[in-house]
Amino acid sequence: MTLIKSISGIRGTIGGHTGDTLNPLDIVKFVTAYATFIRKNGKSDKGKIVVGRDARISGEMVKNMVCGTLMGFGYDVIDIGLATTPTTELAVRMSGADGGIIITASHNPRQWNALKLLNHEGEFLNKEDGNEVLAIAEAENFEYADVDHLGHYTEDNSFDQRHIDSVLALKLVDVDAIRKAGFHVCVDAINSVGGVVLPKLFDALGVRYVFLNGDPTGDFAHNPEPLEKNLTGIMDKMRAGGFDLGVVVDPDVDRLAFICENGEMFGEEYTLVSVADYVLSHTPGNTVSNLSSTRALRDVTAKHGGSYTASAVGEVNVTTLMKETNAIIGGEGNGGVIYPQSHYGRDALVGIALFLSSLAHKGCKVSELRKTFPDYFIAKNRIDLTPATNVDAILEKVKEMYRNEIVNDIDGVKIDFPKKWVHLRKSNTEPIIRVYSEASTMEEADALGKEIMQVVYSMQ
């Protein structure tokens, strides 16, 4: 059983002992710490907090604990029900709330859940703010509201449509072109909130669709991370023919992967690359992605005359750097598209609408579009950690071993070779070291990752 506390929130498996898992007592403590932080730094003495959740089996239980705690602290709660992460982010801004809590463990398996914390802009807390919440939680010096100052509870199910309306209003989303193209798509919504909101989006865009795993039960049909090894069902469906595009989202619909009409993966890394190419062709500018993302975004950005910058891993790090560099578009290679014209958050709905606009304009097959981008391949491996593992010491040794190469240590250790790279970093959400490596072939990329992994294993 696992409980992980970080600046991005609290994440863990459901059940078990307090302090070791995501259980009611720890949920109350952490939500109270967040409410204390918001009260101290928020816009009003008594404001409102938005709460949204994905369809996980534990979601209703966690939501009840979260909403009750916020009300007990004196905050009014706007419960937007089953909602995507980007919908909840937008709901904070649209409702003028002081903050928001998203109940989702993103791509983690069904036994996990988590609380993701938002500020009044509907954006994730930065490192300084996240650390303050953690410190408040540890101190446990809480003061709740008396009976005359308890918060009120309101349900508001309007934000799915408001989110979709905001997507359709984006200048580069060409609704007419998409409708005229007559796309037919196959969608894997992993039995979560994608099955609730994406049909509404496709209806608005005039796109015909068939859903796999579209019932939001939270009982995931397969491992929910949108990687090729987990997507054999929809890939087989695509190979049978009749569809222009396959669309895959994770449980909270901030990550997005595409499948070509022939059943081949478009490439999770190329979700951002393809959308950025379309956006930059109309509005040239700068881009940002994290250190673990493909070099293809750098190449596409240079083609359009812009400047590319790499950030530390983590959405808040990407968005912070995007603001500093006035980036037109950015995101993460895990299928996360961040388009500031909408909001500073990964948003699969925005990514889908922009991708379909690009495809409609180009009038080509998805597989043909993929061939227009530089070819890189990323191998994603992991090293499971034991309690005795000294990750920092290991990374220092790796950095020293490869000191003659270009090394970036703003987030773990990334070693840049002339035609390939490898990035090692401790995960914020799981007890592992992520080992990502990229080269001109998958075999070479995987070999590089495995080589570095052997180096690490020899140090343990």
Side-chain angles (χ1 to χ4, degrees):
M1 309 302 277
T2 305
L3 180 68
I4 299 173
K5 302 174 184 178
S6 72
I7 62 167
S8 59
I10 185 170
R11 179 180 303 235
T13 51
I14 297 297
H17 296 285
T18 57
D20 293 332
T21 62
L22 191 67
N23 58 77
L25 286 179
D26 284 307
I27 292 168
V28 169
K29 182 172 79 168
F30 201 77
V31 171
T32 304
Y34 169 72
T36 303
F37 167 82
I38 293 295
R39 177 65 48 79
K40 175 183 174 183
N41 299 281
K43 299 180 295 182
S44 62
D45 288 336
K46 181 178 180 181
K48 51 191 174 184
I49 303 292
V50 171
V51 177
R53 69 179 181 94
D54 70 15
R56 288 172 183 274
I57 295 169
S58 61
E60 185 174 6
M61 180 276 288
V62 177
K63 181 206 74 172
N64 290 338
M65 300 302 302
V66 169
C67 292
T69 302
L70 291 171
M71 293 166 64
F73 197 81
Y75 269 108
D76 292 341
V77 173
I78 303 175
D79 178 7
I80 66 172
L82 292 175
T84 74
T85 282
T87 303
T88 310
E89 292 169 347
L90 283 167
V92 171
R93 204 169 68 190
M94 290 175 174
S95 64
D98 285 24
I101 296 178
I102 309 167
I103 302 168
T104 176
S106 190
H107 63 273
N108 286 114
R110 66 198 290 276
Q111 69 269 28
W112 289 76
N113 215 327
L115 309 178
K116 295 183 178 181
L117 310 178
L118 305 174
N119 62 22
H120 70 279
E121 296 289 344
E123 299 171 13
F124 290 118
L125 301 186
N126 61 30
K127 183 177 181 179
E128 180 182 358
D129 292 343
N131 281 331
E132 185 173 349
V133 172
L134 291 175
I136 294 170
E138 288 303 311
E140 292 193 51
N141 183 22
F142 305 142
E143 182 177 354
Y144 294 95
D146 61 37
V147 70
D148 295 316
H149 296 90
L150 297 174
H152 299 93
Y153 175 84
T154 304
E155 292 183 1
D156 189 339
N157 297 311
S158 68
F159 287 101
D160 274 359
Q161 191 58 51
R162 293 170 71 177
H163 185 182
I164 290 169
D165 290 343
S166 73
V167 172
L168 301 181
L170 292 171
K171 184 177 180 180
L172 292 185
V173 173
D174 194 334
V175 178
D176 289 339
I178 294 171
R179 286 175 176 162
K180 289 176 182 176
F183 292 121
H184 191 200
V185 303
C186 185
V187 188
D188 185 344
I190 195 61
N191 290 334
S192 192
V193 292
V196 176
V197 70
L198 292 185
K200 301 175 186 177
L201 175 67
F202 289 129
D203 285 341
L205 292 171
V207 173
R208 293 183 298 138
Y209 54 85
V210 170
F211 268 74
L212 305 178
N213 311 316
D215 189 9
T217 62
D219 197 2
F220 303 145
H222 54 77
N223 186 303
E225 190 162 13
L227 303 177
E228 181 173 358
K229 63 183 180 180
N230 301 326
L231 304 178
T232 55
I234 187 171
M235 293 174 72
D236 288 343
K237 189 81 171 177
M238 292 297 296
R239 289 189 191 100
F243 297 101
D244 300 298
L245 173 68
V247 176
V248 182
V249 292
D250 66 340
D252 65 326
V253 197
D254 60 356
R255 288 175 62 174
L256 172 64
F258 296 122
I259 299 172
C260 300
E261 78 289 342
N262 57 12
E264 295 179 358
M265 289 293 294
F266 188 79
E268 187 187 26
E269 291 285 333
Y270 284 82
T271 299
L272 174 58
V273 173
S274 60
V275 172
D277 182 61
Y278 171 67
V279 169
L280 293 172
S281 68
H282 290 83
T283 52
N286 300 330
T287 64
V288 172
S289 65
N290 66 44
L291 287 169
S292 285
S293 301
T294 179
R295 283 181 177 175
L297 181 61
R298 178 198 65 181
D299 297 350
V300 165
T301 306
K303 180 184 74 173
H304 291 289
S307 176
Y308 165 79
T309 312
S311 78
V313 173
E315 185 171 322
V316 67
N317 297 316
V318 176
T319 56
T320 298
L321 193 56
M322 286 179 69
K323 293 173 184 178
E324 292 175 0
T325 60
N326 296 312
I328 299 296
I329 189 168
E332 298 184 291
N334 60 12
V337 175
I338 301 173
Y339 187 45
Q341 287 295 311
S342 174
H343 63 118
Y344 279 102
R346 294 181 299 178
D347 192 330
L349 278 71
V350 169
I352 289 168
L354 291 172
F355 185 86
L356 289 175
S357 297
S358 175
L359 198 62
H361 285 186
K362 290 180 171 64
C364 64
K365 295 179 179 180
V366 177
S367 60
E368 293 170 342
L369 176 61
R370 173 62 183 84
K371 291 176 182 177
T372 65
F373 302 120
D375 259 337
Y376 295 105
F377 296 86
I378 289 185
K380 299 183 178 183
N381 292 293
R382 57 185 279 172
I383 299 171
D384 293 315
L385 301 178
T386 67
T389 304
N390 187 335
V391 178
D392 292 337
I394 288 174
L395 294 181
E396 280 297 322
K397 291 179 182 178
V398 171
K399 193 167 69 170
E400 174 62 21
M401 286 181 65
Y402 292 92
R403 62 185 179 278
N404 293 327
E405 307 295 340
I406 299 173
V407 177
N408 186 322
D409 63 355
I410 65 169
D411 184 10
V413 174
K414 182 174 183 178
I415 307 162
D416 262 304
F417 303 94
K419 295 184 178 180
K420 56 188 177 181
W421 57 259
V422 63
H423 185 205
L424 295 84
R425 61 178 294 273
K426 184 178 179 179
S427 171
N428 290 327
T429 59
E430 299 176 79
I432 62 173
I433 294 177
R434 299 192 186 278
V435 182
Y436 288 7
S437 49
E438 182 174 67
S440 57
T441 68
M442 180 57 76
E443 292 75 18
E444 186 179 5
D446 193 53
L448 175 61
K450 297 288 177 56
E451 175 187 329
I452 300 296
M453 290 171 68
Q454 288 304 315
V455 170
V456 172
Y457 288 137
S458 69
M459 297 177 180
Q460 292 191 61

